[in-house]
C-alpha cells in the first residue's frame, strides 16, 4: 500500500515497448485480441460483423469510422460494458468473459466523451476506485496521480462542480489511473474540449504510452489520430476494413475508407 504509486510507475515502466514499430510483426506482443466478434440487434441488423483485431501492447490504437459504424460498441465490448459472447475477446490471452467483471474494469479502464465526477472533492473522486477495494490512498498518492494527469496540487480540494470540462476530464483520467489499469479505452475523450485541453489530454496519453500503457481510442479527428496513434483501425458498417500504421492512413485501399478519409480531412 505504501508503494501504491511507485507500484503504478514500476508496472508502467516494466512493460517493454517494442522498438520496431510493427503492429502485425511477430515481435510485438498483443494485449487485447478480438476474434470473430458479432453483434446484431433483435430485428436482425448487424452492428458488428465478424470483427477480428489485435491491439498491440504499449501502443495507442486509434479507432475511426463514420457515425454509427460500431466503434463505441466495439470499445464497450473490451471491458464488458456490452457483454461479448465468450471466446471473442481476450486480454493477455485470457477470455474476458471468464474474468470477474469489476477486476476486468480495473485492468481495462474507460474514459467517455463527457466526464462525470461524483459529488465531493477531486481527491474523493480519485480515491473512489481503491476505496471500493478497502484501500485508502494517502494524500501523497493522490498528488502523484494528479501530477500524472497534468493537474497541479491546488486541485486536490476542489469540488467537481468548480472544474472546466477539460479539467474534469483529467480528473476522470486520474480516477481511472488510481485503479492501476493496464489498458485505457477512450471514447472520443477530447471531442467536448477546447484545443488546449485537447492537447493536455493528448500529452498525458502519449506519456502513459511511453510508460507501457496500452490505449484504444475512438476519435472523429483524423488529425488527432495522426498526432498520437501508432496504429489505426478503420471500421465501416460494423466491419474492420483497414488496419494501418497512422502514418500510412493515406494508403487505405477500401473505397469506403478512402471516401471517409477524404471527407474527414
Ligand atoms: N443498445 C443498442 N440498441 C439498439 N441499437 C444500438 C445499440 N447500441 C448501438 N446501436 C446501434 O448500433 C450502431 C452502432 O452504434 P455505435 O454507437 O457503436 O456506433 P459509433 O460508430 O460509435 O457511432 P458514433 O460515431 O456516432 O458515436 C448504431 O446504428 C446504433 O444506433
Amino acid at each position: 500500500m505504501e508503494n501504491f504509486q511507485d507500484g503504478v510507475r514500476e508496472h508502467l515502466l516494466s512493460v517493454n515497448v517494442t522498438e520496431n514499430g510493427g503492429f502485425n510483426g511477430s515481435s510485438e506482443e498483443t494485449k487485447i485480441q478480438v476474434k470473430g466478434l458479432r453483434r446484431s440487434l433483435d430485428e436482425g441488423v448487424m452492428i458488428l460483423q465478424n470483427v477480428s483485431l489485435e491491439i498491440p501492447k504499449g501502443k495507442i490504437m486509434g479507432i475511426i469510422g463514420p457515425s454509427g459504424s460500431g466503434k463505441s460498441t466495439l470499445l464497450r465490448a473490451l471491458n464488458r460494458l456490452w457483454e461479448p459472447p465468450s471466446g471473442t475477446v481476450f486480454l493477455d490471452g485470457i477470455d474476458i468473459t471468464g474474468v470477474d467483471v469489476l477486476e476486468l474494469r480495473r485492468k481495462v479502464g474507460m474514459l467517455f466523451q463527457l466526464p462525470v465526477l461524483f459529488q465531493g472533492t477531486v481527491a474523493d473522486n480519485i480515491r473512489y476506485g481503491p476505496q471500493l477495494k478497502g484501500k485508502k490512498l494517502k494524500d501523497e498518492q493522490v498528488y502523484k496521480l494528479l501530477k500524472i494527469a497534468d493537474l497541479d496540487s491546488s486541485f486536490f480540494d476542489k469540488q467537481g462542480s468548480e472544474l472546466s470540462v477539460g479539467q474534469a476530464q483529467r480528473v476522470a483520467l486520474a480516477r481511472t489511473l488510481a485503479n492501476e489499469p493496464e489498458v485505457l479505452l477512450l471514447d472520443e475523450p477530447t471531442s467536448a474540449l477546447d484545443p488546449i485541453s485537447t492537447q493536455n489530454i493528448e500529452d498525458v496519453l502519449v506519456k502513459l504510452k511511453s510508460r507501457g500503457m496500452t490505449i484504444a481510442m475512438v476519435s472523429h479527428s483524423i488529425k488527432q489520430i495522426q498526432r498520437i496513434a501508432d496504429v489505426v483501425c478503420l471500421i465501416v458498417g460494423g466491419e474492420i476494413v483497414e488496419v494501418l500504421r497512422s502514418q500510412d492512413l493515406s494508403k487505405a485501399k477500401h473505397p469506403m475508407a478512402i471516401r471517409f478519409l477524404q471527407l474527414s480531412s
Side-chain angles (χ1 to χ4, degrees), residues 39 41 47 65-74 188 220:
R39 184 179 185 191
L41 298 178
I47 303 179
S67 210
S69 57
K71 304 178 296 293
S72 297
T73 306
L74 170 61
E188 299 182 48
H220 278 291

Side-chain angles (χ1 to χ4, degrees), residues 41-228:
L41 298 178
D42 292 344
E43 55 269 32
V45 178
M46 293 295 277
I47 303 179
L48 291 178
Q49 316 201 32
N50 201 21
V51 165
S52 294
L53 179 69
E54 290 181 5
I55 303 181
K57 193 170 187 169
K59 303 278 182 194
I60 299 180
M61 173 173 272
I63 301 172
I64 57 175
S67 210
S69 57
K71 304 178 296 293
S72 297
T73 306
L74 170 61
L75 205 66
R76 292 164 74 89
L78 306 183
N79 76 349
R80 292 173 60 188
L81 281 175
W82 166 61
E83 185 74 19
S86 62
T88 56
V89 182
F90 300 82
L91 175 69
D92 293 325
I94 295 168
D95 186 340
I96 64 165
T97 61
V99 178
D100 175 75
V101 75
L102 292 180
E103 203 45 50
L104 174 73
R105 289 181 191 156
R106 283 180 193 286
K107 283 190 182 172
V108 184
M110 188 149 181
L111 268 198
F112 300 92
Q113 186 177 14
L114 286 173
V116 180
L117 298 186
F118 311 132
Q119 259 196 335
T121 64
V122 165
D124 294 337
N125 270 270
I126 293 175
R127 288 191 164 118
Y128 180 79
Q131 210 147 336
L132 287 180
K133 281 178 80 181
K135 291 181 183 176
K136 181 157 193 292
L137 294 188
K138 291 178 173 174
D139 289 0
E140 184 195 324
Q141 294 167 321
V142 174
Y143 285 124
K144 281 181 180 165
L145 285 160
L146 283 174
K147 193 167 178 222
I148 292 175
D150 201 24
L151 290 165
D152 66 50
S153 54
S154 69
F155 284 90
F156 187 96
D157 280 326
K158 286 193 174 158
Q159 295 290 316
S161 52
E162 294 175 61
L163 307 180
S164 70
V165 188
Q167 290 163 343
Q169 189 64 298
R170 277 180 281 157
V171 172
L173 179 56
R175 183 177 62 192
T176 303
L177 295 176
N179 288 324
E180 301 179 78
E182 297 167 14
V183 179
L184 266 184
L185 307 176
L186 307 157
D187 199 349
E188 299 182 48
T190 62
S191 60
L193 308 187
D194 65 72
I196 291 173
S197 301
T198 296
Q199 194 187 356
N200 288 339
I201 292 278
E202 288 181 5
D203 289 348
V204 175
L205 297 179
V206 169
K207 197 164 67 180
L208 289 169
K209 182 194 83 161
S210 73
R211 296 170 174 199
M213 185 83 76
T214 302
I215 296 172
M217 178 175 72
V218 169
S219 175
H220 278 291
S221 166
I222 306 262
K223 289 196 168 68
Q224 175 169 64
I225 292 292
Q226 285 171 325
R227 279 195 298 272
I228 68 168

